[in-house]
Structure formats: C-alpha cells, structure tokens
Amino acid sequence: EHSFLPRIIPSTEITTGKYTLTYRSPSKKSKLSVQAMYRSSISATTLVGIKPMWNVSVVPVDLSKNESVVSCFQKSIVAGTQIKCSVTAKSVDGESITEASYASALDALITSDSGETVKGDIEYSGLPGEFNILFTMTRVGKASLEVKYQSSNGFALIDDVPQSIDITPADISVENSELECLVAKDVTQSEGSRCVLTTFDAFMNPTGSKNNEGAFSIYASKTGTNTVTSTKATHISGNTFAIFIKIEKSGTWNIEAKYFSNAFSRQSSLTLLPGPLDVDNTMVSCNPKVPAISEGTCEIEGRDMYNNLVIVSEEVARRFVGIVEYRSDSSSKDEHSFLPRIIPSTEITTG
C-alpha cells in the first residue's frame, strides 16, 4: 500500500503553457504507469486521459545507515533564526546519492522540550550526497532533530541518537514587553514610584540580563509640566527589571518605557498624591477690612514641600489654630470673644 500523492503544479511563467505532475515513488523496485487526466471544470466528474501514458520503472535507492551521517552546523541558535543541518547520504554500495528527488525519501522531525514541533524542509544541495535540512524554532528549549529514510520496511532512523540544538531567546521586543508601576505613598517619598519592566522577545520567550540595565529608561509626562526621566534600571532576576522615578508634582502622569530609543507598546499611569502640609509654602490671605459686628474670613492655602496643593481634610483642619487679638495701636479695646474657627473647603483638592 503506497500513497503516490500526485499533484499538478503550474509553471511560474504563465505564457509557457506548462504544468508539472509530481508524485511520490515507492521504496521498492516496481513498475508504474503515469498518466495525466483532465476535466472540463473543477466540478466535472468526467475525466479525459491525456496521451501518452508513461511506463516508469522505479529503481530503488538503498541508503546505507552506517555510511550516512546527519550533522548540524550550530549547537546553539537564537529563536526565529533559520537552522541548517545536513544529511550525507550514501548508498549500500558506498556511492553518494545524487538524485535530487531522493530528498522526498527523507523525513526530518524536530521536537523541543518547550513543546514546539516542526517538520524540516529537505532539499538537495547540489553537492554529491549532500541534502540540506532547513527549519526554524521560535520557543526557547532544547531541540532534537530526527532524520528518517525510506527503507523497504517503512521509515527508519539514520542516526539512533538525535542531533541536539539549544534554542536561546532573541533580543528584547518592545512590542511584547510589559510595564507596571507602583505609585509612591506621595510626592515626598524619597525614592519615588517603582516601575517593573518584564521583557520578552518577539516570540514571547522571557529574555534579558543584567547587561541590559543601561538600555532602559522611563518617561513621565503630564499636560502643562516638564517631562521627568529616569535611567537607573536594576536587574532583579530573569527577565525582570526595576526602575524608580521621582516625581515632585502631584496628579496623574502617563508613564512610558523605552529600550534604547524604542518605546514599549504598553504604557502605564501614576496618580500621585501631594505630601503633608509645609508651613513655609502655605499662604494665609485675609480681607483687610471687615464691618463691625460681622463675620471676618481668611483663607489658608495649604501646600506641601514641592508647592503642591495639599488634600483638604478635617484632620488637617484640626491642626490649625486661629489667633485674633487687638493690635497695640487699636483705638478701641474691650472684652470681646473673636471665636476663630478653621473650616475645610468642600473641594478637597483646593488646598
């Protein structure tokens, strides 16, 4: 039982009128008849034979397992890079196999401990007995190449011990790498906010090492303010890096990471709170004139050490003490209770 797998392939030059019929020949010495058939349309059921019918003799090529060798030129290669191995094929009589079509009698299967499996493309190199095996692996792991040849008893391994190739990660991809930021307690936290970069290559393999620390930078931007930059990345472990960014202005900031000059496709954001009230930056303003027997008001605008408006709260309000007393040059002084009170604004972001 043999599947000939006939196929009709049109010529790449449309004006030649040529088509190629290909089929897989059996492994044993035998005689075949080959004929092309034609139907008037794809849906037609009637086939018309195209003359002549050819008689073909199958001449067996008996590969010598002991004399043939599988070899790979790379023992370690970056994911996504084409790998080239070869089969040096010799027949049982010691001669190099030079029939280019013998490539179809070979089968290459590559499996990896990553779970990836691919079939190798096999082609005749043009050199006596040399057949190239081409394939590409995209997942990091240890790949094993097994090459089989068609024998009279089906497919058999050329080498009992598979060829082994280590697939290593490719360079960092800004399209696949991730950025996450943990906001600081407030703008006064000395080291700032901590951002974590998790880096992957183009095939989602974890990649990166301490050598990449100097290639990272992050940028914080906010409308109406200057961009803040940090380039002090630290390799944590594996494909993870940390980078702190010190931002002194409160509010929501957009965070962008770069690898060299290439921006990560994924961005993050931080909403920074102002710090505690700083007396030196806090302002008090009062109406310079107030009618007798009425309520006078002053406004306190609380700001932190970086001049951000502080968050208004009852707790902060209770820390203020208002002192109102007669000035020494006042023309009238009597016993009077000024009853000063501090009331927080209903808008908590006003300071």
Side-chain angles (χ1 to χ4, degrees):
E1 292 294 325
H2 178 74
S3 177
F4 292 101
L5 304 174
R7 291 191 304 157
I8 307 293
I9 303 170
S11 169
T12 54
E13 297 181 14
I14 62 173
T15 59
T16 62
K18 292 182 179 180
Y19 296 81
T20 302
L21 187 155
T22 66
Y23 61 94
R24 188 182 184 94
S25 62
S27 60
K28 298 178 181 180
K29 182 178 180 181
S30 52
K31 294 181 179 181
L32 310 177
S33 61
V34 180
Q35 185 176 25
M37 310 290 285
Y38 185 77
R39 53 188 171 185
S40 59
S41 68
I42 294 176
S43 59
T45 57
T46 302
L47 295 174
V48 179
I50 299 176
K51 296 178 180 180
M53 177 186 293
W54 283 86
N55 294 321
V56 177
S57 295
V58 176
V59 180
V61 178
D62 294 326
L63 180 137
S64 170
K65 177 181 172 73
N66 294 331
E67 295 293 326
S68 300
V69 178
V70 179
S71 56
C72 290
F73 303 98
Q74 307 106 326
K75 296 301 179 184
S76 177
I77 199 161
V78 172
T81 305
Q82 188 180 66
I83 302 168
K84 181 180 179 181
C85 297
S86 71
V87 177
T88 302
K90 292 196 173 184
S91 63
V92 291
D93 59 9
E95 297 295 324
S96 295
I97 297 173
T98 57
E99 290 82 1
S101 61
Y102 188 71
S104 63
L106 300 172
D107 182 81
L109 181 67
I110 305 92
T111 58
S112 170
D113 57 11
S114 69
E116 185 178 17
T117 300
V118 300
K119 296 275 286 184
D121 293 326
I122 303 176
E123 58 184 25
Y124 184 55
S125 70
L127 299 175
E130 294 291 328
F131 292 83
N132 294 329
I133 304 169
L134 304 173
F135 58 96
T136 304
M137 307 293 285
T138 60
R139 302 298 298 160
V140 168
K142 186 175 288 295
S144 297
L145 165 65
E146 289 186 341
V147 181
K148 295 180 179 180
Y149 67 100
Q150 195 172 46
S151 70
S152 58
N153 296 316
F155 278 99
L157 286 171
I158 294 178
D159 281 351
D160 294 325
V161 179
Q163 295 289 309
S164 181
I165 302 170
D166 290 323
I167 310 301
T168 61
D171 194 17
I172 292 170
S173 164
V174 294
E175 295 297 325
N176 290 339
S177 297
E178 299 173 353
L179 166 67
E180 283 190 42
C181 294
L182 180 65
V183 68
K185 173 178 66 70
D186 59 44
V187 294
T188 63
Q189 188 168 321
S190 59
E191 68 272 23
S193 299
R194 182 176 187 260
C195 292
V196 175
L197 309 173
T198 308
T199 52
F200 299 91
D201 67 13
F203 310 102
M204 288 306 296
N205 296 301
T207 188
S209 68
K210 186 174 178 60
N211 294 335
N212 299 117
E213 284 182 342
F216 295 110
S217 55
I218 59 173
Y219 300 82
S221 58
K222 181 174 178 284
T223 303
T225 61
N226 295 327
T227 298
V228 181
T229 305
S230 178
T231 57
K232 298 177 181 179
T234 302
H235 180 239
I236 301 173
S237 65
N239 63 325
T240 307
F241 301 81
I243 186 166
F244 285 87
I245 185 164
K246 174 66 172 169
I247 301 173
E248 297 178 352
K249 293 295 181 183
S250 61
T252 299
W253 292 76
N254 183 63
I255 309 297
E256 179 184 60
K258 287 187 177 182
Y259 178 61
F260 292 109
S261 60
N262 302 310
F264 280 33
S265 60
R266 304 178 191 184
Q267 298 184 356
S268 186
S269 64
L270 293 172
T271 299
L272 278 160
L273 295 174
L277 183 140
D278 182 83
V279 173
D280 291 335
N281 287 334
T282 296
M283 303 289 293
V284 180
S285 60
C286 296
N287 193 327
K289 292 184 179 181
V290 59
I293 317 176
S294 64
E295 185 172 84
T297 59
C298 296
E299 187 176 87
I300 304 170
E301 188 178 76
R303 292 182 178 268
D304 67 11
M305 63 185 294
Y306 297 117
N307 219 31
N308 298 298
L309 292 170
V310 300
I311 299 297
V312 174
S313 69
E314 288 283 354
E315 190 272 334
V316 173
R318 287 195 292 271
R319 297 186 186 186
F320 289 108
V321 176
I323 299 175
V324 182
E325 57 187 7
Y326 286 111
R327 282 168 36 189
S328 59
D329 60 348
S330 176
S331 60
S332 175
K333 297 180 181 179
D334 56 17
E335 294 297 324
H336 177 72
S337 177
F338 290 101
L339 300 175
R341 291 186 305 154
I342 307 294
I343 304 170
S345 169
T346 55
E347 298 180 14
I348 64 171
T349 59
T350 61

